[in-house]
């Protein structure tokens, strides 16, 4: 048996554990169970899940309808390989997801990274089938996160995550990010949009006949904290891709499934990307499920050529995951959760802006719907992220946890930010409680007695 040791907060953690953790030796509570927007640890402490785990548990925890669907499917069959059997569950999921998003084709995977990788492969295959196999260069933003696999990481503007794999990565992350707080340098939205689009055009020109496509998070999540582009930017980017015949790939792993108050965040700007990547909220924490939504043009080219997409992952499209994701879609629709995200998002945003007026450490509030981000600064006027980068984010996350609130760290190595993204089922009273706890967190973080900073 591993020995237990007492931690800073008086909680226990096993010493000599065989399990490799994010941060070796970090003290974390042990999770016990969850109900709705609350999670409980094994000491009986309650936490308001203000970030849906990792912007994933979109229906909250232990939802009875989803548990019933999971249980019923598990009793029938949990796994059958898609190379051997079709499954009614994955057919029904593709049908419903396509109808809810307006896409004719769906490819199923298990994680966001796998789905990003699949979107890249489908795009490469599209070019190959059209007789242009040399098109292999993607362009993505210099502040972004697209996954932990080598393709997804190549796209990611996330210095922390890239570091260890740098030798194997492509420098796809070249585009100026639509991150006005740090990159607009006094330009208004129209001027900043023009700068962004011009830079994208230059990058694509440099790629020339090797250009394969552009990958974008409509609202940037894990690397910067709900980076929301100026209105007009996504339309202009889509226009640029259309002019050049390049597929636009929207990575909506975090922003999709209603999170921002629309089923897909791209819909806020009336943009229909050629491929859309979904994950996280698709299984809503009940099963690892992800997908790529694919337009006619991509599939038509493949259908006219090899008519096969043989790349995939063992568990992709398994009946259990598909049944769970189908139940999640049913819940999103029948409970009006996209509209709730928009409505509660307004309340959350107003509350966060009020907090920013009281707490100097909040440099900016941004985001859409229930994906809100707080940029944290050590000096508001200089917009200084403080040193070392990331320390303010971790301190704020700990301060919140000590108050019984979970928020998500969102720093890729150039700034400090946290995401506030409660489940789409959140009520008005729960948002009020979240804001109270966050207020107390910032008060304790910046108090003279604080040992966190
Ligand atoms: C936008 C985006 N894409 C891809 C991923 C990778 O997803 P996963 O961690 O499920 O592989 C993430 C995860 O945070 C994400 O936010």
């Amino acid at each position: 048996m591993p020995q237990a040791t007492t931690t800073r907060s008086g909680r226990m953690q096993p010493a000599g554990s065989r399990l490799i953790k994010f941060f070796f030796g970090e003290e974390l509570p042990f999770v016990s169970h969850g109900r709705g927007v609350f999670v409980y640890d094994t000491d009986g402490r309650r936490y308001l899940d203000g970030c849906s785990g990792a912007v994933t548990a979109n229906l909250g925890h232990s939802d009875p309808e989803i548990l019933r669907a999971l249980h019923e499917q598990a009793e029938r069959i949990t796994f059958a390989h898609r190379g051997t059997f079709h499954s009614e569950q994955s057919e029904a999921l593709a049908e419903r997801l396509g109808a809810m998003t307006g896409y004719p084709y769906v490819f199923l995977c298990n994680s966001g990274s796998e789905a990003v990788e699949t979107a890249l492969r489908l795009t490469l295959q599209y070019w190959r089938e059209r007789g242009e196999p040399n098109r292999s260069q993607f362009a993505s933003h210099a502040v972004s996160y697209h996954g932990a696999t080598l393709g997804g990481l190549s796209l990611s503007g996330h210095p922390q995550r890239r570091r260890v794999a740098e030798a194997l990565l492509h420098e796809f992350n070249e585009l100026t990010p639509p991150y006005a707080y740090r990159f607009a340098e006094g330009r208004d939205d129209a001027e900043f949009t023009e700068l962004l689009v011009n830079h994208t055009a230059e990058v694509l020109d440099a790629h020339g006949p090797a250009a394969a496509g552009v990958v974008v998070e409509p609202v940037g999540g894990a690397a910067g904290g709900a980076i929301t582009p100026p209105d007009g930017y996504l339309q202009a980017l889509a226009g640029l891709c259309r002019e050049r015949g390049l597929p636009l790939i929207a990575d909506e792993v975090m922003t999709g499934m209603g999170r921002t108050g629309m089923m897909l965040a791209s819909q806020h700007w009336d943009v229909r990307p050629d491929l859309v990547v979904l994950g996280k909220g698709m299984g809503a924490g009940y099963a690892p499920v992800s997908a790529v939504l694919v337009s006619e043009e991509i599939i038509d080219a493949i259908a006219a050529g090899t008519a096969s997409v043989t790349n995939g992952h063992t568990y992709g499209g398994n009946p259990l995951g598909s049944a769970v994701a189908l139940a999640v879609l049913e819940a999103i629709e029948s409970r009006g959760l996209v509209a709730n995200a928009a409505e509660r998002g307004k309340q959350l945003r107003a509350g966060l802006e009020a907090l920013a007026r009281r707490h100097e450490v909040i440099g900016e509030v941004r985001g859409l719907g229930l994906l809100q981000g707080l940029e944290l600064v050590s000096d508001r006027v200089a917009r200084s992220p403080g040193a070392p980068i990331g320390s303010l984010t971790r301190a704020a996350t700990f301060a919140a946890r000590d108050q019984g609130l979970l928020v998500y760290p969102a720093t890729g190595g150039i700034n400090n930010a946290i995401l506030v993204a409660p489940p789409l089922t959140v009520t008005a009273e729960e948002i009020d409680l979240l804001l109270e706890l966050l207020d107390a967190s910032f008060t304790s973080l910046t108090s003279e007695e604080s040992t966190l900073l």
Side-chain angles (χ1 to χ4, degrees), residues 375-396:
E375 172 107 15
L376 305 178
V377 287
S378 59
D379 178 334
R380 207 185 240 185
V381 177
R383 299 190 176 185
S384 162
I389 301 261
S391 54
L392 202 45
T393 302
R394 275 171 74 74

mmCIF file with all atom_site columns, all heavy atoms in Angstrom, residues 375-396:
data_model
loop_
_atom_site.group_PDB
_atom_site.id
_atom_site.type_symbol
_atom_site.label_atom_id
_atom_site.label_alt_id
_atom_site.label_comp_id
_atom_site.label_asym_id
_atom_site.label_entity_id
_atom_site.label_seq_id
_atom_site.pdbx_PDB_ins_code
_atom_site.Cartn_x
_atom_site.Cartn_y
_atom_site.Cartn_z
_atom_site.occupancy
_atom_site.B_iso_or_equiv
_atom_site.pdbx_formal_charge
_atom_site.auth_seq_id
_atom_site.auth_comp_id
_atom_site.auth_asym_id
_atom_site.auth_atom_id
_atom_site.pdbx_PDB_model_num
ATOM 1   N N   . GLU A 1 375 ? -8.777  37.239 -18.814 1.00 0.00 ? 375 GLU A N   1
ATOM 2   C CA  . GLU A 1 375 ? -7.320  37.432 -18.946 1.00 0.00 ? 375 GLU A CA  1
ATOM 3   C C   . GLU A 1 375 ? -6.837  37.994 -17.618 1.00 0.00 ? 375 GLU A C   1
ATOM 4   O O   . GLU A 1 375 ? -7.415  38.946 -17.094 1.00 0.00 ? 375 GLU A O   1
ATOM 5   C CB  . GLU A 1 375 ? -7.045  38.423 -20.091 1.00 0.00 ? 375 GLU A CB  1
ATOM 6   C CG  . GLU A 1 375 ? -5.604  38.845 -20.200 1.00 0.00 ? 375 GLU A CG  1
ATOM 7   C CD  . GLU A 1 375 ? -4.881  38.221 -21.393 1.00 0.00 ? 375 GLU A CD  1
ATOM 8   O OE1 . GLU A 1 375 ? -5.541  37.692 -22.302 1.00 0.00 ? 375 GLU A OE1 1
ATOM 9   O OE2 . GLU A 1 375 ? -3.641  38.291 -21.393 1.00 0.00 ? 375 GLU A OE2 1
ATOM 10  N N   . LEU A 1 376 ? -5.804  37.385 -17.048 1.00 0.00 ? 376 LEU A N   1
ATOM 11  C CA  . LEU A 1 376 ? -5.305  37.828 -15.744 1.00 0.00 ? 376 LEU A CA  1
ATOM 12  C C   . LEU A 1 376 ? -3.970  38.549 -15.927 1.00 0.00 ? 376 LEU A C   1
ATOM 13  O O   . LEU A 1 376 ? -3.117  38.098 -16.693 1.00 0.00 ? 376 LEU A O   1
ATOM 14  C CB  . LEU A 1 376 ? -5.122  36.619 -14.823 1.00 0.00 ? 376 LEU A CB  1
ATOM 15  C CG  . LEU A 1 376 ? -6.366  35.744 -14.649 1.00 0.00 ? 376 LEU A CG  1
ATOM 16  C CD1 . LEU A 1 376 ? -6.064  34.544 -13.755 1.00 0.00 ? 376 LEU A CD1 1
ATOM 17  C CD2 . LEU A 1 376 ? -7.541  36.553 -14.087 1.00 0.00 ? 376 LEU A CD2 1
ATOM 18  N N   . VAL A 1 377 ? -3.834  39.673 -15.221 1.00 0.00 ? 377 VAL A N   1
ATOM 19  C CA  . VAL A 1 377 ? -2.621  40.491 -15.388 1.00 0.00 ? 377 VAL A CA  1
ATOM 20  C C   . VAL A 1 377 ? -2.089  40.933 -14.028 1.00 0.00 ? 377 VAL A C   1
ATOM 21  O O   . VAL A 1 377 ? -2.855  41.109 -13.073 1.00 0.00 ? 377 VAL A O   1
ATOM 22  C CB  . VAL A 1 377 ? -2.913  41.756 -16.251 1.00 0.00 ? 377 VAL A CB  1
ATOM 23  C CG1 . VAL A 1 377 ? -3.088  41.390 -17.708 1.00 0.00 ? 377 VAL A CG1 1
ATOM 24  C CG2 . VAL A 1 377 ? -4.121  42.520 -15.746 1.00 0.00 ? 377 VAL A CG2 1
ATOM 25  N N   . SER A 1 378 ? -0.773  41.128 -13.985 1.00 0.00 ? 378 SER A N   1
ATOM 26  C CA  . SER A 1 378 ? -0.196  41.632 -12.732 1.00 0.00 ? 378 SER A CA  1
ATOM 27  C C   . SER A 1 378 ? -0.225  43.161 -12.743 1.00 0.00 ? 378 SER A C   1
ATOM 28  O O   . SER A 1 378 ? -0.086  43.793 -11.708 1.00 0.00 ? 378 SER A O   1
ATOM 29  C CB  . SER A 1 378 ? 1.225   41.113 -12.541 1.00 0.00 ? 378 SER A CB  1
ATOM 30  O OG  . SER A 1 378 ? 2.021   41.530 -13.619 1.00 0.00 ? 378 SER A OG  1
ATOM 31  N N   . ASP A 1 379 ? -0.369  43.744 -13.936 1.00 0.00 ? 379 ASP A N   1
ATOM 32  C CA  . ASP A 1 379 ? -0.456  45.201 -14.055 1.00 0.00 ? 379 ASP A CA  1
ATOM 33  C C   . ASP A 1 379 ? -1.431  45.502 -15.193 1.00 0.00 ? 379 ASP A C   1
ATOM 34  O O   . ASP A 1 379 ? -1.143  45.216 -16.360 1.00 0.00 ? 379 ASP A O   1
ATOM 35  C CB  . ASP A 1 379 ? 0.943   45.766 -14.366 1.00 0.00 ? 379 ASP A CB  1
ATOM 36  C CG  . ASP A 1 379 ? 0.938   47.277 -14.552 1.00 0.00 ? 379 ASP A CG  1
ATOM 37  O OD1 . ASP A 1 379 ? -0.122  47.848 -14.927 1.00 0.00 ? 379 ASP A OD1 1
ATOM 38  O OD2 . ASP A 1 379 ? 1.995   47.888 -14.324 1.00 0.00 ? 379 ASP A OD2 1
ATOM 39  N N   . ARG A 1 380 ? -2.568  46.087 -14.802 1.00 0.00 ? 380 ARG A N   1
ATOM 40  C CA  . ARG A 1 380 ? -3.634  46.262 -15.785 1.00 0.00 ? 380 ARG A CA  1
ATOM 41  C C   . ARG A 1 380 ? -3.256  47.255 -16.886 1.00 0.00 ? 380 ARG A C   1
ATOM 42  O O   . ARG A 1 380 ? -3.585  47.060 -18.049 1.00 0.00 ? 380 ARG A O   1
ATOM 43  C CB  . ARG A 1 380 ? -4.887  46.759 -15.065 1.00 0.00 ? 380 ARG A CB  1
ATOM 44  C CG  . ARG A 1 380 ? -6.146  46.368 -15.778 1.00 0.00 ? 380 ARG A CG  1
ATOM 45  C CD  . ARG A 1 380 ? -7.328  46.976 -15.091 1.00 0.00 ? 380 ARG A CD  1
ATOM 46  N NE  . ARG A 1 380 ? -8.245  45.955 -14.620 1.00 0.00 ? 380 ARG A NE  1
ATOM 47  C CZ  . ARG A 1 380 ? -9.412  46.226 -14.076 1.00 0.00 ? 380 ARG A CZ  1
ATOM 48  N NH1 . ARG A 1 380 ? -9.781  47.475 -13.874 1.00 0.00 ? 380 ARG A NH1 1
ATOM 49  N NH2 . ARG A 1 380 ? -10.209 45.258 -13.697 1.00 0.00 ? 380 ARG A NH2 1
ATOM 50  N N   . VAL A 1 381 ? -2.554  48.310 -16.510 1.00 0.00 ? 381 VAL A N   1
ATOM 51  C CA  . VAL A 1 381 ? -2.215  49.336 -17.506 1.00 0.00 ? 381 VAL A CA  1
ATOM 52  C C   . VAL A 1 381 ? -1.198  48.788 -18.510 1.00 0.00 ? 381 VAL A C   1
ATOM 53  O O   . VAL A 1 381 ? -1.363  48.908 -19.717 1.00 0.00 ? 381 VAL A O   1
ATOM 54  C CB  . VAL A 1 381 ? -1.681  50.615 -16.806 1.00 0.00 ? 381 VAL A CB  1
ATOM 55  C CG1 . VAL A 1 381 ? -1.267  51.644 -17.843 1.00 0.00 ? 381 VAL A CG1 1
ATOM 56  C CG2 . VAL A 1 381 ? -2.750  51.166 -15.861 1.00 0.00 ? 381 VAL A CG2 1
ATOM 57  N N   . ALA A 1 382 ? -0.179  48.139 -17.985 1.00 0.00 ? 382 ALA A N   1
ATOM 58  C CA  . ALA A 1 382 ? 0.863   47.588 -18.872 1.00 0.00 ? 382 ALA A CA  1
ATOM 59  C C   . ALA A 1 382 ? 0.424   46.262 -19.503 1.00 0.00 ? 382 ALA A C   1
ATOM 60  O O   . ALA A 1 382 ? 1.110   45.716 -20.361 1.00 0.00 ? 382 ALA A O   1
ATOM 61  C CB  . ALA A 1 382 ? 2.146   47.388 -18.089 1.00 0.00 ? 382 ALA A CB  1
ATOM 62  N N   . ARG A 1 383 ? -0.714  45.730 -19.064 1.00 0.00 ? 383 ARG A N   1
ATOM 63  C CA  . ARG A 1 383 ? -1.212  44.419 -19.532 1.00 0.00 ? 383 ARG A CA  1
ATOM 64  C C   . ARG A 1 383 ? -0.170  43.326 -19.296 1.00 0.00 ? 383 ARG A C   1
ATOM 65  O O   . ARG A 1 383 ? -0.029  42.395 -20.100 1.00 0.00 ? 383 ARG A O   1
ATOM 66  C CB  . ARG A 1 383 ? -1.612  44.474 -21.017 1.00 0.00 ? 383 ARG A CB  1
ATOM 67  C CG  . ARG A 1 383 ? -2.713  45.473 -21.277 1.00 0.00 ? 383 ARG A CG  1
ATOM 68  C CD  . ARG A 1 383 ? -3.288  45.379 -22.668 1.00 0.00 ? 383 ARG A CD  1
ATOM 69  N NE  . ARG A 1 383 ? -4.402  46.326 -22.777 1.00 0.00 ? 383 ARG A NE  1
ATOM 70  C CZ  . ARG A 1 383 ? -5.196  46.454 -23.811 1.00 0.00 ? 383 ARG A CZ  1
ATOM 71  N NH1 . ARG A 1 383 ? -5.027  45.677 -24.864 1.00 0.00 ? 383 ARG A NH1 1
ATOM 72  N NH2 . ARG A 1 383 ? -6.178  47.329 -23.828 1.00 0.00 ? 383 ARG A NH2 1
ATOM 73  N N   . SER A 1 384 ? 0.561   43.467 -18.220 1.00 0.00 ? 384 SER A N   1
ATOM 74  C CA  . SER A 1 384 ? 1.639   42.517 -17.947 1.00 0.00 ? 384 SER A CA  1
ATOM 75  C C   . SER A 1 384 ? 1.076   41.195 -17.433 1.00 0.00 ? 384 SER A C   1
ATOM 76  O O   . SER A 1 384 ? 0.285   41.175 -16.494 1.00 0.00 ? 384 SER A O   1
ATOM 77  C CB  . SER A 1 384 ? 2.571   43.138 -16.916 1.00 0.00 ? 384 SER A CB  1
ATOM 78  O OG  . SER A 1 384 ? 3.348   42.130 -16.350 1.00 0.00 ? 384 SER A OG  1
ATOM 79  N N   . PRO A 1 385 ? 1.494   40.074 -18.038 1.00 0.00 ? 385 PRO A N   1
ATOM 80  C CA  . PRO A 1 385 ? 0.974   38.777 -17.575 1.00 0.00 ? 385 PRO A CA  1
ATOM 81  C C   . PRO A 1 385 ? 1.618   38.305 -16.272 1.00 0.00 ? 385 PRO A C   1
ATOM 82  O O   . PRO A 1 385 ? 1.207   37.307 -15.707 1.00 0.00 ? 385 PRO A O   1
ATOM 83  C CB  . PRO A 1 385 ? 1.330   37.833 -18.726 1.00 0.00 ? 385 PRO A CB  1
ATOM 84  C CG  . PRO A 1 385 ? 2.479   38.473 -19.420 1.00 0.00 ? 385 PRO A CG  1
ATOM 85  C CD  . PRO A 1 385 ? 2.369   39.953 -19.206 1.00 0.00 ? 385 PRO A CD  1
ATOM 86  N N   . GLY A 1 386 ? 2.644   39.024 -15.795 1.00 0.00 ? 386 GLY A N   1
ATOM 87  C CA  . GLY A 1 386 ? 3.330   38.588 -14.573 1.00 0.00 ? 386 GLY A CA  1
ATOM 88  C C   . GLY A 1 386 ? 4.306   37.470 -14.892 1.00 0.00 ? 386 GLY A C   1
ATOM 89  O O   . GLY A 1 386 ? 4.280   36.900 -15.979 1.00 0.00 ? 386 GLY A O   1
ATOM 90  N N   . ALA A 1 387 ? 5.185   37.191 -13.951 1.00 0.00 ? 387 ALA A N   1
ATOM 91  C CA  . ALA A 1 387 ? 6.213   36.171 -14.203 1.00 0.00 ? 387 ALA A CA  1
ATOM 92  C C   . ALA A 1 387 ? 6.240   35.172 -13.054 1.00 0.00 ? 387 ALA A C   1
ATOM 93  O O   . ALA A 1 387 ? 5.992   35.540 -11.920 1.00 0.00 ? 387 ALA A O   1
ATOM 94  C CB  . ALA A 1 387 ? 7.578   36.856 -14.346 1.00 0.00 ? 387 ALA A CB  1
ATOM 95  N N   . PRO A 1 388 ? 6.589   33.914 -13.316 1.00 0.00 ? 388 PRO A N   1
ATOM 96  C CA  . PRO A 1 388 ? 6.681   33.369 -14.668 1.00 0.00 ? 388 PRO A CA  1
ATOM 97  C C   . PRO A 1 388 ? 5.280   33.196 -15.258 1.00 0.00 ? 388 PRO A C   1
ATOM 98  O O   . PRO A 1 388 ? 4.305   33.074 -14.508 1.00 0.00 ? 388 PRO A O   1
ATOM 99  C CB  . PRO A 1 388 ? 7.357   32.010 -14.452 1.00 0.00 ? 388 PRO A CB  1
ATOM 100 C CG  . PRO A 1 388 ? 7.019   31.630 -13.041 1.00 0.00 ? 388 PRO A CG  1
ATOM 101 C CD  . PRO A 1 388 ? 6.876   32.910 -12.269 1.00 0.00 ? 388 PRO A CD  1
ATOM 102 N N   . ILE A 1 389 ? 5.215   33.177 -16.596 1.00 0.00 ? 389 ILE A N   1
ATOM 103 C CA  . ILE A 1 389 ? 3.928   33.014 -17.278 1.00 0.00 ? 389 ILE A CA  1
ATOM 104 C C   . ILE A 1 389 ? 3.286   31.709 -16.807 1.00 0.00 ? 389 ILE A C   1
ATOM 105 O O   . ILE A 1 389 ? 3.956   30.691 -16.713 1.00 0.00 ? 389 ILE A O   1
ATOM 106 C CB  . ILE A 1 389 ? 4.131   32.930 -18.810 1.00 0.00 ? 389 ILE A CB  1
ATOM 107 C CG1 . ILE A 1 389 ? 4.821   34.180 -19.331 1.00 0.00 ? 389 ILE A CG1 1
ATOM 108 C CG2 . ILE A 1 389 ? 2.811   32.657 -19.522 1.00 0.00 ? 389 ILE A CG2 1
ATOM 109 C CD1 . ILE A 1 389 ? 3.985   35.227 -19.947 1.00 0.00 ? 389 ILE A CD1 1
ATOM 110 N N   . GLY A 1 390 ? 2.021   31.793 -16.492 1.00 0.00 ? 390 GLY A N   1
ATOM 111 C CA  . GLY A 1 390 ? 1.310   30.598 -16.043 1.00 0.00 ? 390 GLY A CA  1
ATOM 112 C C   . GLY A 1 390 ? 1.088   30.592 -14.542 1.00 0.00 ? 390 GLY A C   1
ATOM 113 O O   . GLY A 1 390 ? 0.173   29.957 -14.042 1.00 0.00 ? 390 GLY A O   1
ATOM 114 N N   . SER A 1 391 ? 1.924   31.348 -13.796 1.00 0.00 ? 391 SER A N   1
ATOM 115 C CA  . SER A 1 391 ? 1.817   31.274 -12.332 1.00 0.00 ? 391 SER A CA  1
ATOM 116 C C   . SER A 1 391 ? 0.517   31.923 -11.849 1.00 0.00 ? 391 SER A C   1
ATOM 117 O O   . SER A 1 391 ? -0.130  31.431 -10.916 1.00 0.00 ? 391 SER A O   1
ATOM 118 C CB  . SER A 1 391 ? 3.032   31.901 -11.658 1.00 0.00 ? 391 SER A CB  1
ATOM 119 O OG  . SER A 1 391 ? 3.219   33.211 -12.118 1.00 0.00 ? 391 SER A OG  1
ATOM 120 N N   . LEU A 1 392 ? 0.123   33.005 -12.492 1.00 0.00 ? 392 LEU A N   1
ATOM 121 C CA  . LEU A 1 392 ? -1.121  33.678 -12.091 1.00 0.00 ? 392 LEU A CA  1
ATOM 122 C C   . LEU A 1 392 ? -2.339  32.787 -12.390 1.00 0.00 ? 392 LEU A C   1
ATOM 123 O O   . LEU A 1 392 ? -3.296  32.719 -11.613 1.00 0.00 ? 392 LEU A O   1
ATOM 124 C CB  . LEU A 1 392 ? -1.213  35.004 -12.874 1.00 0.00 ? 392 LEU A CB  1
ATOM 125 C CG  . LEU A 1 392 ? -2.071  36.133 -12.338 1.00 0.00 ? 392 LEU A CG  1
ATOM 126 C CD1 . LEU A 1 392 ? -1.877  36.362 -10.860 1.00 0.00 ? 392 LEU A CD1 1
ATOM 127 C CD2 . LEU A 1 392 ? -1.741  37.416 -13.114 1.00 0.00 ? 392 LEU A CD2 1
ATOM 128 N N   . THR A 1 393 ? -2.270  32.092 -13.502 1.00 0.00 ? 393 THR A N   1
ATOM 129 C CA  . THR A 1 393 ? -3.363  31.174 -13.865 1.00 0.00 ? 393 THR A CA  1
ATOM 130 C C   . THR A 1 393 ? -3.499  30.071 -12.818 1.00 0.00 ? 393 THR A C   1
ATOM 131 O O   . THR A 1 393 ? -4.605  29.770 -12.345 1.00 0.00 ? 393 THR A O   1
ATOM 132 C CB  . THR A 1 393 ? -3.069  30.530 -15.244 1.00 0.00 ? 393 THR A CB  1
ATOM 133 O OG1 . THR A 1 393 ? -2.911  31.575 -16.198 1.00 0.00 ? 393 THR A OG1 1
ATOM 134 C CG2 . THR A 1 393 ? -4.192  29.605 -15.672 1.00 0.00 ? 393 THR A CG2 1
ATOM 135 N N   . ARG A 1 394 ? -2.364  29.488 -12.461 1.00 0.00 ? 394 ARG A N   1
ATOM 136 C CA  . ARG A 1 394 ? -2.411  28.409 -11.468 1.00 0.00 ? 394 ARG A CA  1
ATOM 137 C C   . ARG A 1 394 ? -2.882  28.922 -10.114 1.00 0.00 ? 394 ARG A C   1
ATOM 138 O O   . ARG A 1 394 ? -3.688  28.280 -9.433  1.00 0.00 ? 394 ARG A O   1
ATOM 139 C CB  . ARG A 1 394 ? -1.021  27.759 -11.331 1.00 0.00 ? 394 ARG A CB  1
ATOM 140 C CG  . ARG A 1 394 ? -0.782  26.679 -12.361 1.00 0.00 ? 394 ARG A CG  1
ATOM 141 C CD  . ARG A 1 394 ? 0.649   26.199 -12.372 1.00 0.00 ? 394 ARG A CD  1
ATOM 142 N NE  . ARG A 1 394 ? 1.003   25.351 -11.227 1.00 0.00 ? 394 ARG A NE  1
ATOM 143 C CZ  . ARG A 1 394 ? 0.603   24.092 -11.081 1.00 0.00 ? 394 ARG A CZ  1
ATOM 144 N NH1 . ARG A 1 394 ? -0.184  23.534 -11.970 1.00 0.00 ? 394 ARG A NH1 1
ATOM 145 N NH2 . ARG A 1 394 ? 0.982   23.372 -10.038 1.00 0.00 ? 394 ARG A NH2 1
ATOM 146 N N   . ALA A 1 395 ? -2.401  30.105 -9.733  1.00 0.00 ? 395 ALA A N   1
ATOM 147 C CA  . ALA A 1 395 ? -2.801  30.675 -8.437  1.00 0.00 ? 395 ALA A CA  1
ATOM 148 C C   . ALA A 1 395 ? -4.306  30.924 -8.418  1.00 0.00 ? 395 ALA A C   1
ATOM 149 O O   . ALA A 1 395 ? -4.989  30.627 -7.427  1.00 0.00 ? 395 ALA A O   1
ATOM 150 C CB  . ALA A 1 395 ? -2.032  31.967 -8.185  1.00 0.00 ? 395 ALA A CB  1
ATOM 151 N N   . ALA A 1 396 ? -4.842  31.445 -9.517  1.00 0.00 ? 396 ALA A N   1
ATOM 152 C CA  . ALA A 1 396 ? -6.287  31.739 -9.574  1.00 0.00 ? 396 ALA A CA  1
ATOM 153 C C   . ALA A 1 396 ? -7.098  30.444 -9.541  1.00 0.00 ? 396 ALA A C   1
ATOM 154 O O   . ALA A 1 396 ? -8.160  30.373 -8.904  1.00 0.00 ? 396 ALA A O   1
ATOM 155 C CB  . ALA A 1 396 ? -6.612  32.539 -10.840 1.00 0.00 ? 396 ALA A CB  1
#
